[in-house]
């Protein structure tokens, strides 16, 4: 029996733009203000079954009067349709926003399945492409991620996107620090990419094109990528000329500070810290 053809919208490098969603959110105390951010879908493996969540930053998801997530439609043959996004608004408290247990880690997740089911009940079949632990960098490969390694970041800088096709912006840069080092004592690394407002929550991938370093040397092959982290902040140059770390802003405003062409990212293994909480909430597997 012949195997079914691979869906190019769920395989390889071409699928990376389809795992993210633009986040639009309200601003507490400012009814007319709108903030932008990026989120990506991630599948957590739990004893009772898998759970798909939207992953972003605390400063993107927490304390919002409402959050709106944009979805694409799935075609009859399982492809990702090009067209304007269908946006689902989540009022405050309608879905749990779970912040990372470490107050210094700017990561947060929100279960996404209720939104998908709500759309399906209304006749909209959402295209859902989630990342999972299988695409995350492994400890042995992380050892080989030196400064100057190529990286890819997928997101919505300043909320910008291809509105007609619901597509994010894919950008390339490089690691500015060795991945195995914890930058400034945090479980962070730094990338050489300009981090504009709206990029908060963008997934960051190590990218290799034809040659990939390993702890034992180099391997030859095609293109490969590994999820290595989530953008959360970047250094800014203020009006006095001092460099300070700031969360990547979610609103486009006129300021007297300038983002430097660097971004700070939380390491992807920090997502595993959500598992104990999710397992308690989900309960034991069915008998």
């Amino acid at each position: 029996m012949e195997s079914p053809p691979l869906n190019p919208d769920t395989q390889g490098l071409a699928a990376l733009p389809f795992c993210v969603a633009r986040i639009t959110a309200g601003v507490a105390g400012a009814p007319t203000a709108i903030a932008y951010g990026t989120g990506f879908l991630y599948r957590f493996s739990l004893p009772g079954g898998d759970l798909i969540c939207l992953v972003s930053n605390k400063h993107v998801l927490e304390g919002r009067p409402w959050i709106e997530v944009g979805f694409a439609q799935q075609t009859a043959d399982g492809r990702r349709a090009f067209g304007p996004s269908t946006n689902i608004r989540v009022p405050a408290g309608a879905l749990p926003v779970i912040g990372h247990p470490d107050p210094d880690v700017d990561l947060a997740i929100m279960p996404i399945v209720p939104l998908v089911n709500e759309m399906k009940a209304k006749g909209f079949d959402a295209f859902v492409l989630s990342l999972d632990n299988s695409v995350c960098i492994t400890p042995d490969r992380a050892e080989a991620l030196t400064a100057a390694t190529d990286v890819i970041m997928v997101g919505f800088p300043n909320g910008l996107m291809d509105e007609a096709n619901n597509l994010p912006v894919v950008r390339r840069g490089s690691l500015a620090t060795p991945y195995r080092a914890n930058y400034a004592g945090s479980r962070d690394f730094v990338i050489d990419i300009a981090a504009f407002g709206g990029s908060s929550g963008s997934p960051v991938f190590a990218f290799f094109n034809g040659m990939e370093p390993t702890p034992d040397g180099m391997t030859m092959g095609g293109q490969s990528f590994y999820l290595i982290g989530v953008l959360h902040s970047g250094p800014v140059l203020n009006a006095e000329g001092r460099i300070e770390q700031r969360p990547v802003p979610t609103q486009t405003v006129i300021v007297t500070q300038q983002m430097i062409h660097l971004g700070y990212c939380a390491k992807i293994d920090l997502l595993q810290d959500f598992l104990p909480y999710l397992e308690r909430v989900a309960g034991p597997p069915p008998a």
Side-chain angles (χ1 to χ4, degrees), residues 152-202:
I152 291 174
M153 185 170 75
V154 187
F156 304 90
N158 285 335
L160 295 175
M161 64 183 297
D162 178 354
E163 300 269 2
N165 295 297
N166 184 23
L167 290 173
V169 175
V170 180
R171 307 169 68 200
R172 287 184 62 174
S174 62
L175 283 177
T177 59
Y179 187 79
R180 66 187 181 91
N182 287 329
Y183 180 75
S186 300
R187 291 162 71 183
D188 282 348
F189 61 95
V190 185
I191 55 174
D192 186 7
I193 288 182
F196 294 102
S199 295
S200 291
S202 294

Side-chain angles (χ1 to χ4, degrees), residues 220-231:
M220 301 294 292
Q223 293 179 330
S224 59
F225 58 88
Y226 303 94
L227 180 60
I228 61 173
V230 185
L231 179 78

Side-chain angles (χ1 to χ4, degrees), residues 70-192:
F71 288 90
Q73 189 163 10
Q74 180 169 282
T75 64
D77 59 352
R79 300 291 300 272
R80 198 262 200 193
F82 288 149
S85 65
T86 294
N87 301 319
I88 300 297
R89 180 168 292 201
V90 183
L95 286 176
V97 173
I98 306 160
H100 190 278
D102 186 337
D104 295 326
V105 173
D106 192 0
L107 289 176
I109 62 175
M110 183 176 74
I112 211 73
V113 174
L115 298 186
V116 175
N117 291 341
E118 178 184 339
M119 288 186 289
K120 197 172 187 66
K122 297 177 180 178
F124 182 88
D125 192 9
F127 182 87
V128 177
L129 179 62
S130 57
L131 302 170
D132 58 32
N133 193 56
S134 68
V135 300
C136 294
I137 193 72
T138 57
D140 60 326
R141 291 188 181 276
E143 289 287 321
L145 298 183
T146 62
T149 298
D150 287 345
V151 298
I152 291 174
M153 185 170 75
V154 187
F156 304 90
N158 285 335
L160 295 175
M161 64 183 297
D162 178 354
E163 300 269 2
N165 295 297
N166 184 23
L167 290 173
V169 175
V170 180
R171 307 169 68 200
R172 287 184 62 174
S174 62
L175 283 177
T177 59
Y179 187 79
R180 66 187 181 91
N182 287 329
Y183 180 75
S186 300
R187 291 162 71 183
D188 282 348
F189 61 95
V190 185
I191 55 174
D192 186 7

